[in-house]
C-alpha cells in the first residue's frame, strides 16, 4: 500500500491554511477595519479542522482496520493495537509537548506585552494538553475565561481520545463497524451542537473511516470519477466546496441549523476524490507541490501558528513601544513576520523533531508486531486456517 497520497497532502495543506487564516482574526490582527470585519464575518476557516478530521479518519483506518481484521490471535491483535498507539504517540506527542514547553517559557521570558497571558493559565492549559483533556477545558472556558495560548490542542485531545478507543471498537464490533459508524454520523449530523458537543464532534472522523472501509470493496473503483482527470472540473469542485464550507462556518450567514454536519459531508466528499490519488482535485505543477509541502508540515504549522502570531505581536511591542494602538499599517508587516516564523519553525520542527521521532516510533512499532510471529515460529500465511476464522 502506498503510504503517502499526494492529493491527501494537498487537502491537508488547504485545511491548515484555512485554520491559520481563521485564527489570524483577534490573535494576530487585534484591530478592526471595515475590510477585516467584512471578510471574517463571511469567512469561517474553522472548517479546516473538520477537513483534518476526515483526512485523519481515512488515513488511520485504511492501515489499521485491515491489520486488526487480519490478526490471527489474541497476542498478535494486542501487539498490533499497542504498535498503533506507540506509533501515534511518537508521531504526535513530542512536537505537542515541545510547543507546550515553549509557550510556558514565552509566558515567563518573552511576554512584556502580556500577549501570551499568565503563566498560571498556560500551565493549566499545558496540563490539560498533556492529559489529553484539552477539548473539555476548551468547552468549559469558552466565552467564560481565558484558555491559554495552546487552545488549538482541543482537536488533538479529541483525536487521541477517539483513537485510544478505536482499536477496541474495531475488535468488538467486527462486521458491525460500518453500521455503528454510520449511526454515529447520522446522530451527529442532525444534532444541535452545544459547545461541549462541538468539542467532541466525531462525524467527520467517522466519515473518513467509512470511506477507508469502502475502498476495500469493488464498488469504490466502479464509480471512480475518471471524468475529472485532466480537467479543471475537479479544481472548480474543490474551490466550490471550500466556498460552501466557509459560508457554512461564517458568523453572519445562517444557511441551515446543521452546518457542522454538512461541513463533515463536504469534507468526506473531498477526501473521497483525493483518495484515488489521480490528480482529480488539482493538476500537477508548482502550486500543487507547494500545497503538498505545506500539507506534509501541516501538523507543525497547526501547533506553531498561534505562538508565531503572539511572537510577532510581542516583537512589535518591543520594537515600537510607543504604538499603543495598532491599525492597518501593521497588516503587511504582521503577515510577513508571522508567516516567516511559521514556515521556518515548522520546517525545523518537521526535520529535527517530527520526522526523526516518527521514524523512531515506527521502528518500535514494527518490532512489536514482528516479535509475536517470530516467537511463535509462524506467520499468518503459515497458519491459514486460523487466519480465515479471525
Amino acid at each position: 500500500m502506498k503510504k503517502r497520497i499526494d492529493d491527501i497532502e494537498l487537502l491537508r495543506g488547504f485545511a491548515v491554511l484555512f485554520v491559520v487564516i481563521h485564527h489570524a482574526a483577534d490573535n494576530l490582527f487585534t484591530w478592526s477595519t471595515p475590510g477585516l470585519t467584512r471578510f471574517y464575518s463571511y469567512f469561517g476557516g474553522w472548517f479546516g479542522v473538520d477537513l483534518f478530521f476526515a483526512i485523519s479518519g481515512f488515513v488511520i483506518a485504511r492501515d489499521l482496520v485491515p491489520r486488526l481484521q487480519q490478526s490471527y490471535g489474541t497476542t498478535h491483535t494486542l501487539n498490533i493495537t499497542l504498535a498503533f498507539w506507540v506509533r501515534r504517540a511518537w508521531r504526535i506527542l513530542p512536537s505537542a509537548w515541545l510547543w507546550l514547553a515553549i509557550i510556558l517559557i514565552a509566558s515567563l521570558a518573552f511576554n512584556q506585552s502580556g500577549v501570551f497571558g499568565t503563566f498560571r493559565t498556560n500551565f493549566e492549559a499545558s496540563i490539560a494538553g498533556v492529559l489529553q483533556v484539552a477539548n473539555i477545558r476548551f468547552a468549559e472556558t469558552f466565552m467564560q475565561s481565558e484558555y491559554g495560548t495552546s487552545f488549538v490542542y482541543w482537536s488533538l485531545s479529541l483525536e487521541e481520545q477517539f483513537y485510544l478507543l478505536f482499536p477496541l471498537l474495531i475488535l468488538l464490533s467486527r462486521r458491525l463497524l460500518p453500521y455503528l459508524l454510520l449511526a454515529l454520523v447520522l446522530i451527529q449530523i442532525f444534532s444541535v451542537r452545544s459547545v461541549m458537543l462541538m468539542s467532541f464532534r466525531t462525524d467527520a472522523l467517522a466519515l473518513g473511516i467509512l470511506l477507508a472501509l469502502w475502498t476495500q470493496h469493488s464498488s469504490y473503483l466502479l464509480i471512480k470519477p475518471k471524468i475529472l482527470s485532466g480537467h479543471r472540473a475537479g479544481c472548480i469542485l474543490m474551490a466550490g466546496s471550500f466556498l460552501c464550507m466557509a459560508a457554512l462556518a461564517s458568523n453572519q450567514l445562517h444557511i441551515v441549523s446543521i452546518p457542522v454536519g454538512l461541513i463533515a459531508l463536504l469534507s468526506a466528499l473531498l477526501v473521497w476524490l483525493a483518495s484515488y490519488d489521480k490528480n482529480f482535485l488539482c493538476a500537477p505543477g508548482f502550486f500543487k507541490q507547494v500545497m503538498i509541502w505545506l500539507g506534509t508540515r501541516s501538523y507543525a504549522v497547526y501547533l506553531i501558528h498561534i505562538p508565531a502570531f503572539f511572537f510577532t505581536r510581542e516583537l512589535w511591542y518591543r520594537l515600537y513601544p510607543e504604538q499603543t494602538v495598532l491599525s492597518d499599517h501593521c497588516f503587511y508587516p504582521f503577515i510577513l513576520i508571522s508567516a516567516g516564523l511559521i514556515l521556518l519553525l515548522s520546517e525545523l520542527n518537521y526535520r529535527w523533531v517530527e520526522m526523526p521521532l516518527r521514524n523512531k516510533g515506527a521502528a518500535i512499532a514494527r518490532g512489536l508486531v514482528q516479535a509475536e510471529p517470530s516467537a511463535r515460529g509462524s506467520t499468518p500465511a503459515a497458519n491459514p486456517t486460523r487466519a480465515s476464522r479471525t
Side-chain angles (χ1 to χ4, degrees):
M1 179 184 294
K2 182 181 177 182
K3 289 189 177 297
R4 194 183 88 167
I5 298 177
D6 285 346
D7 285 353
I8 291 292
E9 298 301 332
L10 170 78
L11 287 182
R12 275 202 179 107
F14 277 114
V16 78
L17 180 62
F18 289 129
V19 170
V20 170
I21 294 173
H22 178 75
H23 284 157
D26 299 326
N27 294 299
L28 182 63
F29 308 132
T30 57
W31 62 93
S32 178
T33 65
L36 283 174
T37 301
R38 190 180 307 111
F39 175 78
Y40 281 109
S41 293
Y42 294 98
F43 172 86
W46 57 261
F47 73 84
V49 174
D50 294 86
L51 182 54
F52 269 131
F53 287 159
I55 292 169
S56 175
F58 171 75
V59 172
I60 293 295
R62 72 191 286 259
D63 178 67
L64 180 62
V65 174
R67 286 177 182 269
L68 285 176
Q69 289 177 340
Q70 296 168 16
S71 62
Y72 55 94
T74 302
T75 304
H76 189 223
T77 299
L78 290 175
N79 283 346
I80 290 174
T81 302
L82 182 58
F84 166 70
W85 287 333
V86 166
R87 187 165 55 245
R88 185 160 180 85
W90 282 84
R91 160 78 170 86
I92 297 295
L93 297 183
S95 294
W97 290 352
L98 170 65
W99 284 97
L100 286 176
I102 290 174
I103 288 170
L104 285 176
I105 294 170
S107 69
L108 288 174
F110 196 68
N111 198 25
Q112 289 183 7
S113 65
V115 63
F116 282 94
T118 65
F119 176 81
R120 175 173 177 169
T121 298
N122 284 293
F123 179 76
E124 292 170 350
S126 296
I127 296 300
V130 170
L131 296 178
Q132 302 300 336
V133 293
N135 54 332
I136 299 175
R137 175 178 166 80
F138 183 81
E140 292 176 344
T141 60
F142 186 76
M143 302 296 288
Q144 300 295 323
S145 60
E146 183 182 358
Y147 181 94
T149 304
S150 60
F151 62 87
V152 300
Y153 280 59
W154 76 266
S155 64
L156 305 184
S157 292
L158 172 58
E159 283 198 348
E160 295 314 295
Q161 292 161 8
F162 184 87
Y163 290 131
L164 182 64
L165 299 175
F166 184 48
L168 307 179
L169 180 64
I170 297 171
L171 295 172
L172 292 175
S173 61
R174 296 293 179 176
R175 294 183 180 181
L176 295 178
L177 178 62
Y179 304 103
L180 292 177
L181 291 171
L182 184 59
L184 180 63
V185 170
L186 291 175
I187 290 171
Q188 291 187 82
I189 282 181
F190 296 104
S191 297
V192 177
R193 314 290 179 115
S194 65
V195 176
M196 187 63 76
L197 287 179
M198 282 289 284
S199 298
F200 279 95
R201 63 185 191 266
T202 56
D203 41 354
L205 273 167
L207 284 169
I209 295 168
L210 285 169
L211 177 59
L213 298 177
W214 183 32
T215 61
Q216 301 176 26
H217 295 83
S218 58
S219 58
Y220 169 75
L221 293 177
L222 287 176
I223 64 169
K224 184 177 180 179
K226 297 179 181 179
I227 191 173
L228 298 179
S229 181
H231 298 280
R232 294 181 179 178
C235 185
I236 295 172
L237 178 61
M238 178 175 65
S241 298
F242 289 154
L243 181 63
C244 289
M245 288 191 282
L248 287 166
S250 70
N251 294 324
Q252 294 296 320
L253 299 175
H254 303 288
I255 299 171
V256 290
S257 60
I258 52 169
V260 183
L262 291 183
I263 287 172
L265 289 171
L266 287 170
S267 298
L269 170 67
L270 292 176
V271 175
W272 168 59
L273 294 175
S275 66
Y276 293 99
D277 202 19
K278 295 296 182 182
N279 302 311
F280 290 154
L281 295 176
C282 183
F286 176 75
F287 175 75
K288 184 171 184 178
Q289 288 304 311
V290 170
M291 295 308 297
I292 290 173
W293 180 92
L294 185 62
T296 57
R297 289 144 180 84
S298 58
Y299 178 56
V301 172
Y302 187 73
L303 295 177
I304 291 168
H305 72 282
I306 296 298
F309 288 165
F310 289 178
F311 276 123
T312 299
R313 288 169 55 189
E314 174 67 17
L315 180 63
W316 195 265
Y317 176 84
R318 293 186 179 217
L319 291 175
Y320 305 101
E322 71 281 0
Q323 294 184 6
T324 56
V325 178
L326 301 180
S327 60
D328 260 359
H329 72 279
C330 301
F331 182 78
Y332 291 109
F334 272 31
I335 288 179
L336 291 175
I337 294 171
S338 61
L341 285 172
I342 291 170
L343 295 177
L344 174 61
L345 295 173
S346 297
E347 179 67 16
L348 293 176
N349 188 92
Y350 178 77
R351 289 182 177 273
W352 292 355
V353 180
E354 187 177 337
M355 286 306 298
L357 295 179
R358 178 195 295 185
N359 293 335
K360 176 69 173 178
I364 295 173
R366 283 194 300 271
L368 288 170
V369 175
Q370 294 170 0
E372 195 270 341
S374 62
R376 292 172 57 90
S378 62
T379 65
N383 198 352
T385 303
R386 184 170 186 175
S388 65
R389 293 198 301 266
T390 305

